[in-house]
Amino acid sequence: MELLRHSLPSDVYSEIRGAMPPVDEWKSFRFGPDMTSAATMAEVIHPVDRPLHAHTDSNGILLEDGKEPAFGNGEVLELSDCSVGHLAQHTFCRILHDAAAENCQSNSQNSNLLYSDEVTHADWQTDDGSWRIRTKQGKEFHTPVVLAADGAKSWWRNLLNIPMHGETTIQHLINVHFTLTSEEDPFPPAMLYTIFSPQVLAMVVRHSPKEYVMQIPYFHPYQTLKENFTASKVHEMVTAAMGGSHDFEIQSIGPWSMGSLVAEEYFRQNVFLVGDAAHVFPPAGGFGMNTGLQDAHNLAWRLALKKHQDGNTSNNLKKIGQSYQNERQEVASRNAALSVRNYERVLDVMNSCYLNHQHPKVLIQGLDASSFFVPMQVRQKTFQMALETALWPLGQLKSSFDGVFSRHVTKNLRSLLKLGQGLPLLFPNHEIGFRYGDPEEALIDETSDTLANLPKIAIGGLFPHMPVVVDGSAKSAFPRLCELGENTITTRDLPAQLANDECPCPFCLVRISSSSSGEGIQAEDLLTVLQSELGIYIRQVNLKVAIGESIECSTSERTCLNLHLKENDWYGLGDNEKETWVMIRPDGHIASIMHKGDNFTELVEQLITETQQHI
């Protein structure tokens, strides 16, 4: 949400926020033989109604005795001023499409939106290092740069023969998109319903009231869309999931394969892979689209910076590509591993109901071994009978809710969820706490997936969120300031807040000091040298930590933003007795840190060297 807030026009961002359902409609995961409240075996509540907090576990908590769980430890330290958002991808994409179409109309000479078209042919021009592209509708383009955000089956990635590494097929799934025809949505609101039924074992995602997507595992080739997932059979499955209701319409039925893959290269011959073209994750955790948005943001400011520096983005594209790949590929690998862990957590939930995921694999291996003398049709029937036999006991979860089997399975499930071993929804360290170029980040183990570490000022990480006081006159000088309250802003995304139409991607040089730090080096002198040597535009920010004194703001100028922070809000980010210089990139990540030194030359050299390594 932080990224969207400053990357999109305010009206588009407001439309996205307005399209999101209320938190109460998606804060919980429910488990039961169907989606009705009467059949609920367990419910987990997630802390999505507030910003992420440090020193806390953001995992969901099992709802017990119908009472809302208490989150937090009493010492609230917010990691962001934004809370988590939830929006169906197709709704999000529609809003972006409409905004892009409107933008193209107002800038018709500079942009084209060919939404229903597709690339069919591309030639690499070795003489000038560019691409000649032809589309299905006969359009032709000549471009030095291609951003390939064309999905998991990327046409461009295949053209360039860039391999993907990882596990191609973890599980085959059937996606069923259905909508309710009843006037009201009768089901208790939740983001996710896990269904244990002899008719269907599935997870149902609630996109919005009366709109759902059901994901059903199937076992290829012993189950097929034609034989096992016909329209009538899928209708019976949805009916079972809805507790016997027929008040729905199926919009689509389609198979897909869940994998965990990362591209070997993110850049080749002036083509950048972005989003699903560069990585494919299991859906558990929602990292696919979020990682893709971060990819686009990471690449956009680099290209914009180069165009601002020399007016030609084709220069130094190889350096941009290498920097982009070094940072984003590492994040994709970590998120792929996390998504697989999340999928395994889903399997643990199934195992608690005596649905061991290894059993189908063993059965398939046995059936495969008999392929020389047993016809496929017979093997398929054998598999289907075995599957129905394994699911048959689940009928007691509804028909005999107080029976021995039901009570035992419910106890197992609730015990697992009470320990926080179900599927989480929030992953603070992976979502906003990650750092580029930090080898320790790659070693994160599953016990820390939902923990929120104390923020710190570190190279590669986002500049921490701190509520700081700003002079009222700064609003006219910097109209994009994100106010938390009267004369209070966040330090999270300072470059974006200080950007304007003339300089859309500035760097920020933040001088952190206190009343006891002394005068130190003059920021204006330092800024002049850095801008000249690096060829970038830098905004100056003075952040003063007030120690035992009242906060007073000096008037903000066009070139400098003055911020004040109370000492007790500093929360150990560093030694506030020493002057510290921090260079923040346009995307909010820290490029360089230098603590006070009396030698002006040494300060300049370190800031330049570290900044060049991170752009």
Side-chain angles (χ1 to χ4, degrees), residues 407-567:
R407 286 189 282 110
H408 191 66
V409 166
T410 300
K411 181 181 178 181
N412 287 348
L413 173 63
R414 293 179 65 84
S415 295
L416 181 139
L417 298 174
K418 190 172 183 177
L419 294 174
Q421 296 176 4
L423 175 64
L425 183 58
L426 301 176
F427 307 88
N429 290 340
H430 296 266
E431 290 159 338
I432 61 174
F434 69 91
R435 299 195 300 276
Y436 291 130
D438 184 358
E440 293 183 3
E441 288 291 309
L443 302 178
I444 292 178
D445 64 88
E446 59 184 275
T447 61
S448 64
D449 281 340
T450 59
L451 296 178
N453 292 335
L454 184 71
K456 58 183 176 181
I457 295 176
I459 292 179
L462 287 166
F463 195 84
H465 160 68
M466 292 177 283
V468 292
V469 175
V470 61
D471 182 67
S473 63
K475 296 178 221 176
S476 59
F478 306 106
R480 297 187 186 181
L481 290 179
C482 183
E483 289 190 86
L484 307 179
E486 185 177 1
N487 295 335
T488 304
I489 69 167
T490 175
T491 57
R492 165 64 85 204
D493 41 18
L494 285 172
Q497 295 187 69
L498 302 185
N500 55 35
D501 293 339
E502 292 74 30
C503 185
C505 56
F507 285 69
C508 279
L509 181 63
V510 181
R511 180 172 72 172
I512 305 172
S513 61
S514 69
S515 56
S516 59
S517 298
E519 290 298 324
I521 293 172
Q522 290 298 313
E524 293 79 4
D525 297 337
L526 184 59
L527 208 65
T528 301
V529 176
L530 291 175
Q531 289 187 137
S532 175
E533 292 293 326
L534 292 170
I536 60 179
Y537 188 83
I538 306 173
R539 293 285 197 187
Q540 179 188 342
V541 178
N542 293 322
L543 174 58
K544 184 177 179 181
V545 182
I547 302 176
E549 58 187 75
S550 60
I551 293 181
E552 295 180 0
C553 287
S554 56
T555 302
S556 297
E557 301 174 359
R558 284 278 172 183
T559 58
C560 178
L561 179 68
N562 294 302
L563 306 174
H564 284 67
L565 177 73
K566 293 180 180 179
E567 183 181 21

Side-chain angles (χ1 to χ4, degrees), residues 129-202:
S130 63
W131 285 96
R132 292 191 182 276
I133 299 170
R134 187 166 61 250
T135 74
K136 191 174 183 178
Q137 295 181 6
K139 303 283 186 180
E140 292 191 1
F141 301 94
H142 184 201
T143 177
V145 185
V146 173
L147 273 62
D150 52 345
K153 297 180 180 179
S154 173
W155 185 91
W156 281 98
R157 190 186 65 234
N158 292 328
L159 175 70
L160 296 170
N161 293 315
I162 298 177
M164 299 281 276
H165 296 295
E167 194 167 355
T168 304
T169 305
I170 298 175
Q171 175 70 62
H172 292 286
L173 293 157
I174 299 291
N175 252 30
V176 182
H177 178 202
F178 66 96
T179 54
L180 306 189
T181 56
S182 55
E183 292 186 7
E184 300 292 336
D185 191 327
F187 305 115
M191 177 187 281
L192 190 66
Y193 305 80
T194 302
I195 307 300
F196 308 102
S197 167
Q199 286 78 32
V200 62
L201 187 66

Side-chain angles (χ1 to χ4, degrees), residues 13-75:
Y13 179 71
S14 296
E15 185 177 358
I16 289 173
R17 290 297 302 265
M20 291 180 178
V23 170
D24 284 345
E25 294 185 6
W26 56 274
K27 66 182 179 181
S28 67
F29 290 173
R30 289 179 176 268
F31 305 80
D34 60 46
M35 297 163 61
T36 64
S37 58
T40 300
M41 298 161 57
E43 180 180 3
V44 172
I45 308 294
H46 299 274
V48 293
D49 59 345
R50 69 208 71 194
L52 297 172
H53 294 164
H55 286 317
T56 61
D57 189 338
S58 298
N59 206 346
I61 297 178
L62 178 67
L63 182 66
E64 298 188 273
D65 301 324
K67 298 178 180 178
E68 285 280 335
F71 294 98
N73 57 6
E75 297 180 5

